[in-house]
């Protein structure tokens, strides 16, 4: 650790504009009822450069549920709409509603 650099301990991301890209996207989050009364949270409105597989994996891990990323959207199993909105906002996304 160098005493000459006062910014050495700061956690600066590799691409500081990545959060800006996320905040410019407005995502739609809704719950659909599927076969046998099962709920599915649908998240869409992503730009093409978003890594949906990684984001879906993070959401599934945080919620302890299954889901998938397909057709430029993420589907999360269960009735987790409110928690999904919170998690997306924590990651810097704008969520409508």
């Amino acid at each position: 650790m160098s005493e000459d650099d006062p910014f050495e301990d700061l956690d600066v991301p590799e691409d500081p504009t990545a959060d800006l890209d996320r905040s410019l996207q407005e995502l739609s989050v809704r719950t659909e009822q599927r076969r046998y009364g099962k709920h599915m949270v649908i998240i869409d409105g992503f730009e093409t450069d978003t890594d949906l597989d990684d984001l879906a994996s993070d959401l599934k891990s945080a919620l302890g549920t299954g889901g998938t990323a397909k057709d430029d959207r993420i589907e999360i199993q269960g009735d987790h709409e409110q928690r999904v909105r919170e998690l997306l906002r924590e990651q810097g996304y704008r969520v409508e509603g």
Side-chain angles (χ1 to χ4, degrees), residues 72-84:
D72 296 329
R73 67 186 195 173
I74 296 175
E75 299 179 357
I76 302 291
Q77 296 174 354
D79 190 13
H80 302 285
E81 182 175 346
Q82 202 57 34
R83 184 68 178 127
V84 167

Side-chain angles (χ1 to χ4, degrees), residues 21 24-27 45-52 72:
D21 293 339
L24 295 176
Q25 300 180 49
E26 186 166 6
L27 303 181
F46 293 100
E47 300 292 324
T48 56
D49 60 343
T50 304
D51 189 354
L52 294 181
D72 296 329

Side-chain angles (χ1 to χ4, degrees), residues 32-45:
E32 291 181 359
Q33 194 165 353
R34 297 283 174 98
R35 195 182 308 180
Y36 306 115
K38 303 288 182 178
H39 290 95
M40 181 76 70
V41 177
I42 309 297
I43 310 159
D44 55 9

